Amino acid sequence: MKKIANPNRQPTILEVSRKAGVSTATVSRVLAGLEGAGDATRKKVLRVVKELGYQPNRLARNLRATSRKVVGVVIPDLQNPFFTGIVGGIEEVLHDAGYTLFLANSDDNIDRELIEMQTMRSDRVSGILLIPCQSEAPHYQEMAWSDTPIVAIDRSPIGLDVDFVATNNEEGAYLGTSRLIEAGHKKIGIINGPEKNDVVKERQAGFRRALKMGRIKVRESWTARGDFRIGGGKKAAMQIMSGAERPKALFVTNFLMMLGALQAVHELGLKIPDDVAIISFDDMPWNIAMNPPISAVAQPTRELGKTAAQLLLDRLAEPARSVRRVALQPELKVRASCKAMEK
Amino acid sequence: MKKIANPNRQPTILEVSRKAGVSTATVSRVLAGLEGAGDATRKKVLRVVKELGYQPNRLARNLRATSRKVVGVVIPDLQNPFFTGIVGGIEEVLHDAGYTLFLANSDDNIDRELIEMQTMRSDRVSGILLIPCQSEAPHYQEMAWSDTPIVAIDRSPIGLDVDFVATNNEEGAYLGTSRLIEAGHKKIGIINGPEKNDVVKERQAGFRRALKMGRIKVRESWTARGDFRIGGGKKAAMQIMSGAERPKALFVTNFLMMLGALQAVHELGLKIPDDVAIISFDDMPWNIAMNPPISAVAQPTRELGKTAAQLLLDRLAEPARSVRRVALQPELKVRASCKAMEK
DNA sequence: CTGAAAGCGCTAACAT
DNA sequence: ATGTTAGCGCTTTCAG
């Protein structure tokens, strides 16, 4: 009979079995809710479990089972509401399916992103949900492991042929820009993100398509790039709006840069929407509390997360299924920041 | 010699050892970076590890070690920037210390909060960082396990005598309210949170202390409660501001309710700060982009997380140390929304 | 219906 | 310097 050398630690199944006068196998069966368990024993076991405050050790359990009911989530920035919104959606679906979440922050650093994914793999997560910090990375090719399914969100990592979900960015930019044109605008500027980002390219494309449809020519001096952060947006807006001839409308491709642009506009003493109309990508709860309320191309943030989670669940259920790429439709929220131009 | 029955799974240490022609112990030693490893063998092992793409199974490893280098984080709402800011701070410290994060969302539900904590305990996390969704709960007493250290953040759970960190809420409310008084305001209203919340009580106390210092009497009709969400803030502001005689300044005790209040104020056609000055708890990046920029009592969000993580690390290093309760100082950010009243 | 025993992948004595 | 072996806590045949 084995000794219990367990000073000051959480109780084990062995201790439960001893105290209940049964075998560990029986305890295991009772806890698994399996058939084959006498009513008397079952009750006794459950009582002891409660008495001892026994919690099965999931590590030991999963060491055998090889299926962990844990998924890893890697995002570039914990503070960005767009990303946390996605995590919210992920959490909703996965929690209901009985999964636990490992959360890691890649901090927009591709090396760290890789390390986090490796750690998760070490932890034998069932799968990984990844919001890549870049579209392209040397690692992605070699990360295409056969055994840990990955679902990419928002940005499609080149070389990683995995399930993928994102907003239809081209369409979103088209919708937003078109709205400005419909309102009578012809002098339209754009603040876009870093050049080699796929998302950026798509939004750029949508913007240009809208201009083309409206027979408006692109004006390079009204185009600027930020870094998707507040500071970059402010700088870009300053650049565009302090020129001799400035646009009467601005399409901003991300909400953080929009906040920066707003600062710039205020500092320049311009009025929205009279001096300049604004519409941006991403709709945030506070847009409506702004003065004036800000128009936006809303991404279905939560839905992105839910879809990604479902994609993973599906793949777990059927590992061989073919790779799916899902595009979710954005929605235009028109508010006072882009009302019709005074003729 | 044991058979390797490992179809289509991640390689194990056994496979590595076979292929390298050494024992599993040697592989383990090499990977642990221990001394006692011939240069030749070391190189051979590392080569095989790379070839096979071997990742040690942390489950198996930790099954022996009983120390997981994983900590659990439970927060009431993934979408709330205040909470995710805290998680950001936690992550920063814990990542540097080599820890991984389990993240769970209690969804402001006390039952779920308990379940998540139990699951984490099942996963043998080294400790739990908890932002309680209520100050008081029947569970807390019985959750005071001896073995899984808990650190509470923002709200102090009654009955759980654990390390704790929060902002000095009383002081924060005092600072904010005092600023309004200094600006010449005497008609000051407050939008506060749910009655039985500790944080709410403290902020209420700070507000009253400031009024008392300024020899201003509290006016009950200028006091309203919201639910700490946008809708509640709007309703509360509507209630206070549509009365016959309304206050000329508003202290709002949380940023979501501030957004709601802003909506109400706009809808009522009131101008900030001329018709009503506003200052709120929590400073968010977009406050500065508002028109006018919103004054706030800034909580050291990130610092809260970092401190909590450090508190946990300290306790892990020295389990017997006495319980610590840390209060961090808030900081007043004065902006145009509460400029001096016109005399 | 229940118990005994093997083994999941790894590490840490204990040997050699 | 390296191999052998005994578990960590659990589930799961295989017996009874």
Side-chain angles (χ1 to χ4, degrees), chain B residues 107-271:
Chain B
D107 212 17
D108 251 321
N109 175 334
I110 189 72
D111 295 317
R112 196 163 150 192
E113 181 182 291
L114 178 69
I115 292 173
E116 298 295 353
M117 290 178 79
Q118 283 171 338
T119 305
M120 288 175 173
R121 198 163 173 248
S122 251
D123 262 305
R124 298 303 187 262
V125 295
S126 310
I128 296 177
L129 293 167
L130 170 71
I131 305 180
C133 51
Q134 301 172 198
S135 303
E136 198 165 356
H139 310 301
Y140 288 143
Q141 308 261 6
E142 58 184 271
M143 265 193 322
W145 312 304
S146 56
D147 44 11
T148 307
I150 298 175
V151 176
I153 308 170
D154 190 40
R155 308 177 205 179
S156 175
I158 296 173
L160 252 190
D161 186 32
V162 295
D163 293 315
F164 171 67
V165 57
T167 305
N168 188 334
N169 286 298
E170 201 272 348
E171 179 74 11
Y174 176 79
L175 279 176
T177 311
S178 296
R179 184 63 187 72
L180 291 171
I181 296 174
E182 280 164 29
H185 283 286
K186 291 201 179 327
K187 299 177 167 184
I188 307 176
I190 180 173
I191 298 180
N192 210 338
E195 192 153 10
K196 55 183 175 179
N197 184 312
D198 272 356
V199 172
V200 169
K201 284 181 194 148
E202 292 168 27
R203 294 183 187 171
Q204 181 85 19
F207 175 76
R208 300 217 164 193
R209 177 159 67 95
L211 289 198
K212 199 168 176 185
M213 294 285 289
R215 294 167 199 287
I216 299 173
K217 65 171 193 297
V218 176
R219 186 118 152 204
E220 288 306 333
S221 61
W222 290 348
T223 299
R225 292 189 187 280
D227 52 1
F228 272 150
R229 290 166 193 250
I230 295 185
K234 183 172 178 180
K235 225 166 104 182
M238 277 295 185
Q239 182 189 322
I240 294 181
M241 301 305 291
S242 14
E245 194 181 0
R246 60 178 167 234
K248 297 279 289 176
L250 225 38
F251 182 68
V252 190
T253 60
N254 136 294
F255 83 95
L256 282 171
M257 294 197 300
M258 188 271 286
L259 292 177
L262 242 36
Q263 280 181 47
V265 166
H266 294 158
E267 286 183 21
L268 291 170
L270 301 174
K271 292 289 169 220

Side-chain angles (χ1 to χ4, degrees), chain A residues 9 12-13 25 28 54 57 61 64:
Chain A
R9 244 192 271 142
T12 72
I13 200 173
S28 176
Y54 169 72
N57 184 329
R61 178 177 286 177
R64 304 201 94 254

Side-chain angles (χ1 to χ4, degrees), chain A residues 25-67:
Chain A
T26 301
V27 177
S28 176
R29 277 191 281 256
V30 169
L31 259 35
L34 255 49
E35 292 305 310
D39 217 47
T41 15
R42 150 166 282 119
K43 272 181 183 149
K44 194 164 38 171
V45 169
L46 289 177
R47 187 165 44 73
V48 175
V49 163
K50 184 156 256 176
E51 268 175 39
L52 258 40
Y54 169 72
Q55 298 261 10
N57 184 329
R58 295 221 300 170
L59 296 175
R61 178 177 286 177
N62 293 130
L63 186 52
R64 304 201 94 254
T66 63
S67 125

Side-chain angles (χ1 to χ4, degrees), chain B residues 278-292:
Chain B
I278 282 197
I279 184 163
S280 90
F281 232 90
D282 303 326
D283 190 30
M284 296 291 160
W286 53 86
N287 273 2
I288 203 178
M290 295 277 199
N291 180 23

